[in-house]
Amino acid sequence: MINSTIRKGDVGVSEPIDFQPFIEMFMGQVPGGPEGDLEIRRRIGLDFVDTTDENVHREPTLEEVDAWIQYAAWNVWGTVAQRASEGESGLIPRQEYESLAFVQEWAKTPQLMREITEAIGVDGVIELGRTSHREVGNKINVLRNWGLPMCPLIGRGISIHLGLEDHTERQGDIASVVQFARRLQHGTFGGGSGLVSGRGFVQQTLGQEILDRFLADEERLDDPEQLGIFRKFNASTELLGFLIHWDSRAGMQDSGPYPVPGGGFMIVREHFLYETEYEWASVAEGLPYCVIEAMIFRPDVPVHVAINDLGTTFTEPRDYLKHLSGVAVYARDRVDSPMSELRRVDAAEMSAITKKSNVGMLELYKVIAGKSREQKIRDGIVVYTHDMISFHAKAAGIWDSVKTTYDDWHPLTEAAYPVLSTSRAGEILPIVLLLEGGFPTFGAKAGS
Amino acid sequence: MSGQREIGAGINVMEFAEPITGRTIFLDSPDQVLDFIMSDDVESSIVISRGGTTTFVAPALTAGVRGLMTLQGAPESHLGILSREYGIPCVMSVTFTEGVETSRGEIIPADGTLVTLDIATTPRGRVLIDDGADNG
């Protein structure tokens, strides 16, 4: 069993810490990737990451919850470890708002997850998870399957690190978080590992009907001018999505790689632009809610593709776009546009969207630069806390009643603010994400 | 690249067969970023920023900056991902062996220094200067 003890009240960083061994290997011991997945499962002994019809329809045991937390510690390390030391933004105090948002999510979302489950039932939650099988341009997706449990778990680790909570507290809340996420994951994948890290870093979620449509609509990019139009469109919409979502990946999602007849693969990418959940997204008014890129690659050399739980594609060699052979681009105009209204976007519209995205990005940049530091933090907390779960709550029909008080800061968040609103956030996050103690268990026996 | 010597090294985001050369500028505030993109030097400049996040240098990305260097971060950082999508050479977490001190004590090349980024391989990218060049 992995030792995950933590000292309550460990609030200071008295000596510089050499993070490098903990960036290279989980706890300096376990690698990342499929090899690490096997090793961490072996060490934990009890597998609760895999979902079955049976184990998502009942309450988990404490041993199962502990086993899931232990796997989550490795998964989060692998997903964000390289990012943990990326430093400050200069525009948005990202580590500050991010760490506070994690605490707020730990304080508030377990109850909301229970309310959603009460409203639509366990099978209703599983059905929500199936959304990413039949839809694109919908934020009920794999990234949220990951963020819904991981953000509160990180917030728990921060709260304990700050001495605001004890690791033995709130067992029921952890169980609610873990099982809510597992039910969504079960709907998405239909069983087996609920996390992409246990599926060989392949995220094949979309149904064949959608994939067939995308393939049939492919337009080849043999003309360098057409390729250039698409690459600018891809980059500009991705950048605007990042900025609207406060420098987070909540505005993008990749799935795949999907095999392509005759060889090659397809990656389906979504960039969320006109997100009316946030008033500052008015800079994207006139742009689609989401643009969807079905990118077909036919490389003449081996290209290894990995898509992580955040829906980010990593390839080897890294310049995957030079192997791009064709695309089919679509728009979902509003958040509530049905899939039947998914429409094609041609090259002329791509150029127009690129132009509008660049203008909107610069406008928003100036708006953000003019905000106070505290307001930037408050806005960032709204992004994280809304973007992970509000779409599920809306689908369950309870968001309107919840949102009246949802943005009120919990006393736990208020208590963490004096520390996490400072540069200390940038010191504490790597400690929680990389070092022993960030994901403490309740101490139940879970194998050897 | 004979006649050049290394003044820094970091993590190269993506391989480019040909090195790129440009004059450095350190951007330390949003106002500096906005002033920079209004200048005539964007496409010939290699921007140095502190962090590995995307948003701070966002306007420079769309303005068509020649290259990027950061003092923090990794290719998995948001800026690493975006520079890849834009096809802009980017070397992250660069440690410089000589230059001037920032207000926080970091060593960076003085603004206007002509540097070459050797980005032919990953993970290591190199920053080179030619002592015979006119460095500002």
Side-chain angles (χ1 to χ4, degrees):
Chain A
M1 184 168 179
I2 296 166
N3 183 2
S4 300
T5 57
I6 192 167
R7 289 174 291 135
K8 187 177 181 182
D10 179 17
V11 298
V13 184
S14 55
E15 295 177 9
I17 299 170
D18 179 10
F19 285 106
Q20 198 53 38
F22 298 93
I23 290 175
E24 291 171 0
M25 302 269 273
F26 174 64
M27 297 301 156
Q29 299 174 20
V30 182
E35 181 191 352
D37 169 68
L38 292 174
E39 174 60 16
I40 196 69
R41 286 173 190 255
R42 188 192 67 75
R43 290 186 177 214
I44 294 169
L46 189 158
D47 191 350
F48 198 55
V49 172
D50 288 3
T51 66
T52 66
D53 285 335
E54 185 276 327
N55 71 21
V56 298
H57 277 93
R58 61 171 171 79
E59 292 308 307
T61 67
L62 198 56
E63 286 187 358
E64 288 170 332
V65 170
D66 272 355
W68 202 93
I69 291 172
Q70 289 174 302
Y71 186 91
W74 171 81
N75 172 286
V76 168
W77 164 84
T79 307
V80 300
Q82 296 291 337
R83 242 201 57 203
S85 59
E86 73 184 2
E88 62 205 74
S89 159
L91 180 69
I92 293 173
R94 203 166 67 80
Q95 290 168 314
E96 291 84 343
Y97 91 68
E98 194 174 49
S99 57
L100 279 160
F102 291 151
V103 172
Q104 174 82 345
E105 287 177 276
W106 168 230
K108 298 198 96 165
T109 58
Q111 176 59 27
L112 183 49
M113 291 175 188
R114 287 190 287 269
E115 289 176 24
I116 292 171
T117 307
E118 284 167 16
I120 60 176
V122 169
D123 287 330
V125 176
I126 293 169
E127 191 58 33
L128 278 185
R130 291 198 180 101
T131 303
S132 46
H133 183 73
R134 57 177 179 257
E135 291 192 31
V136 287
N138 190 321
K139 285 184 174 175
I140 300 177
N141 59 17
V142 171
L143 188 153
R144 273 90 197 155
N145 288 359
W146 182 89
L148 277 165
M150 301 310 184
C151 296
L153 279 179
I154 297 168
R156 172 177 177 253
I158 293 170
S159 302
I160 293 168
H161 181 82
L162 292 175
L164 300 173
E165 286 195 341
D166 186 274
H167 77 280
T168 60
E169 298 170 0
R170 299 178 59 191
Q171 295 180 5
D173 282 346
I174 288 280
S176 295
V177 167
V178 169
Q179 200 62 327
F180 185 77
R182 293 180 75 258
R183 287 164 179 161
L184 289 168
Q185 293 162 358
H186 192 66
T188 300
F189 293 116
S193 175
L195 292 165
V196 176
S197 61
R199 311 183 74 85
F201 295 87
V202 171
Q203 199 186 118
Q204 294 171 342
T205 51
L206 285 171
Q208 195 58 48
E209 189 179 337
I210 293 176
L211 297 174
D212 288 345
R213 175 182 174 183
F214 289 173
L215 279 171
D217 287 345
E218 178 190 1
E219 291 185 12
R220 293 295 184 114
L221 294 174
D222 302 327
D223 178 354
E225 186 181 349
Q226 296 298 310
L227 177 62
I229 288 171
F230 174 76
R231 287 198 66 154
K232 287 177 184 169
F233 169 82
N234 171 56
S236 296
T237 54
E238 187 164 316
L239 181 57
L240 181 61
F242 260 101
L243 200 59
I244 284 174
H245 294 81
W246 241 233
D247 202 357
S248 81
R249 297 184 209 197
M252 62 182 292
Q253 166 77 37
D254 286 357
S255 73
Y258 304 97
V260 169
F265 59 90
M266 176 163 62
I267 294 173
V268 178
R269 173 166 295 170
E270 299 155 84
H271 291 156
F272 293 88
L273 304 176
Y274 188 31
E275 178 50 82
T276 50
E277 195 70 18
Y278 313 120
E279 47 92 7
W280 54 84
S282 59
V283 300
E285 190 170 358
L287 290 172
Y289 171 69
C290 182
V291 291
I292 299 99
E293 307 165 351
M295 301 185 288
I296 294 111
F297 300 84
R298 296 182 178 87
D300 51 9
V301 296
V303 176
H304 178 258
V305 180
I307 299 182
N308 67 12
D309 279 289
L310 283 172
T312 305
T313 298
F314 294 101
T315 63
E316 198 58 51
R318 290 177 180 170
D319 188 8
Y320 67 107
L321 284 176
K322 74 179 180 185
H323 301 292
L324 187 62
S325 172
V327 293
V329 180
Y330 305 86
R332 203 162 179 176
D333 285 314
R334 301 178 314 278
V335 63
D336 58 354
S337 297
M339 267 296 281
S340 59
E341 292 180 10
L342 188 74
R343 63 177 182 81
R344 293 282 300 279
V345 172
D346 62 18
E349 187 177 2
M350 272 193 263
S351 293
I353 290 174
T354 299
K355 191 174 177 183
K356 281 186 185 176
S357 295
N358 290 342
V359 170
M361 182 279 297
L362 196 55
E363 189 180 334
L364 182 54
Y365 189 92
K366 293 172 182 171
V367 167
I368 296 172
K371 288 183 181 241
S372 70
R373 177 183 169 80
E374 179 178 348
Q375 190 58 50
K376 291 176 188 176
I377 292 173
R378 287 186 174 275
D379 289 345
I381 294 171
V382 168
V383 171
Y384 263 39
T385 54
H386 282 230
D387 227 85
M388 285 301 132
I389 200 168
S390 68
F391 303 96
H392 303 71
K394 285 172 188 169
I398 65 169
W399 180 246
D400 285 344
S401 63
V402 168
K403 69 179 181 184
T404 54
T405 58
Y406 184 67
D407 289 335
D408 297 343
W409 282 12
H410 189 276
L412 194 63
T413 314
E414 297 279 6
Y417 184 81
V419 175
L420 297 181
S421 61
T422 71
S423 59
R424 287 285 311 284
E427 298 170 356
I428 291 169
L429 263 181
I431 293 172
V432 171
L433 296 176
L434 300 178
L435 303 186
E436 186 179 334
F439 291 76
T441 64
F442 294 106
K445 288 186 177 178
S448 56
Chain B
M1 277 170 274
S2 59
Q4 294 183 312
R5 62 187 175 82
E6 183 176 314
I7 62 160
I11 310 169
N12 183 23
V13 170
M14 198 163 72
E15 302 93 342
F16 289 81
E18 297 297 323
I20 62 159
T21 298
R23 294 198 184 272
T24 64
I25 180 167
F26 178 57
L27 300 177
D28 200 21
S29 72
D31 285 344
Q32 289 177 2
V33 174
L34 292 170
D35 287 344
F36 167 69
I37 63 165
M38 299 305 291
S39 73
D40 296 329
D41 303 326
V42 174
E43 293 179 6
S44 60
S45 294
I46 296 177
V47 163
I48 303 173
S49 67
R50 182 170 285 113
T53 64
T54 304
T55 51
F56 176 66
V57 294
L61 293 174
T62 56
V65 70
R66 178 167 291 179
L68 294 163
M69 291 189 281
T70 69
L71 306 182
Q72 304 164 351
E76 292 80 3
S77 305
H78 295 171
L79 183 56
I81 295 166
L82 257 296
S83 68
R84 181 185 66 171
E85 303 303 330
Y86 273 92
I88 297 174
C90 180
V91 185
M92 308 191 78
S93 286
V94 178
T95 302
F96 294 101
T97 54
E98 61 182 78
V100 297
E101 275 196 24
T102 69
S103 59
R104 298 195 194 175
E106 301 133 323
I107 301 293
I108 60 170
D111 282 356
T113 302
L114 192 65
V115 301
T116 296
L117 300 190
D118 174 9
I119 42 183
T121 59
T122 53
R124 190 169 188 267
R126 300 192 305 151
V127 186
L128 310 166
I129 65 165
D130 183 343
D131 285 326
D134 171 15
N135 279 321

